[in-house]
Amino acid sequence: IAAIRVMHQAIQTIFVAQQAVFGINLYFHLSTLPCPIMPFAHTLTFEPTGELVVWRIEETPAWFFDQLSLSKDLWREFHQITAQTVRLQWLASRFALQQVAKTRDMDVHKDHFGKPHLVNDSRFISISHCQGYAAAIAAEAPVGVDVEVVSD
């Protein structure tokens, strides 16, 4: 299990990535992470082949439109979302997934449980978004990631 606890501007956000094969516990304070001008909050690569991206959302929807090349089904899913904040988070989570998938053209389908899978890619994936952050993980073994606001 990999868990990344991030605290930023008095908001506590927890990122949980579950990896069946590994026993990893990682805790980071956002100010200690390398945060260049790009809004990556954190990237973690692990073995066997896997990668986790946590993205701090600072872009506009127009920026994501320019960056993403999504299937018609994904665009249809996007247009069904009515709340503007959720739409932005959805775009950011798909951008994070694009980063771990290492592809510009992306197609995702959901199984009968609603779990996403990359089309034409055997890796396991998970995506999440919440209040200004998005995360995606891809690996050769089953994984999961969740972004949540921790409240006292």
Side-chain angles (χ1 to χ4, degrees):
I1 296 176
I4 300 172
R5 171 162 266 158
V6 178
M7 296 167 29
H8 182 58
Q9 297 176 352
I11 298 174
Q12 290 184 329
T13 308
I14 189 164
F15 302 92
V16 178
Q18 296 178 338
Q19 170 59 331
V21 178
F22 312 110
I24 304 169
N25 291 308
L26 300 171
Y27 298 91
F28 297 95
H29 188 280
L30 192 60
S31 64
T32 66
L33 296 177
C35 287
I37 295 172
M38 294 177 63
F40 274 110
H42 187 67
T43 301
L44 173 68
T45 303
F46 50 90
E47 295 295 332
T49 307
E51 186 174 8
L52 165 69
V53 168
V54 179
W55 189 266
R56 186 174 56 236
I57 306 169
E58 297 177 348
E59 299 76 18
T60 65
W63 186 86
F64 287 113
F65 293 150
D66 289 342
Q67 304 304 313
L68 292 168
S69 178
L70 303 176
S71 68
K72 289 180 184 179
D73 287 341
L74 285 174
W75 282 121
R76 190 174 306 118
E77 181 181 333
F78 169 76
H79 287 294
Q80 291 175 350
I81 302 168
T82 56
Q84 294 302 313
T85 302
V86 177
R87 288 173 75 125
L88 179 60
Q89 292 173 0
W90 187 95
L91 289 167
S93 66
R94 277 32 180 207
F95 180 76
L97 180 58
Q98 180 177 286
Q99 302 312 297
V100 297
K102 306 289 190 229
T103 182
R104 175 144 168 87
D105 298 320
M106 191 169 52
D107 194 6
V108 175
H109 76 87
K110 293 182 181 176
D111 64 20
H112 61 282
F113 296 111
K115 179 152 179 59
H117 299 273
L118 288 169
V119 174
N120 299 322
D121 190 324
S122 63
R123 289 176 296 167
F124 295 88
I125 62 167
S126 182
I127 50 180
S128 182
H129 53 79
C130 182
Q131 294 191 6
Y133 286 90
I137 190 169
E140 299 295 330
V143 290
V145 65
D146 191 25
V147 180
E148 296 293 333
V149 172
V150 177
S151 59
D152 295 327

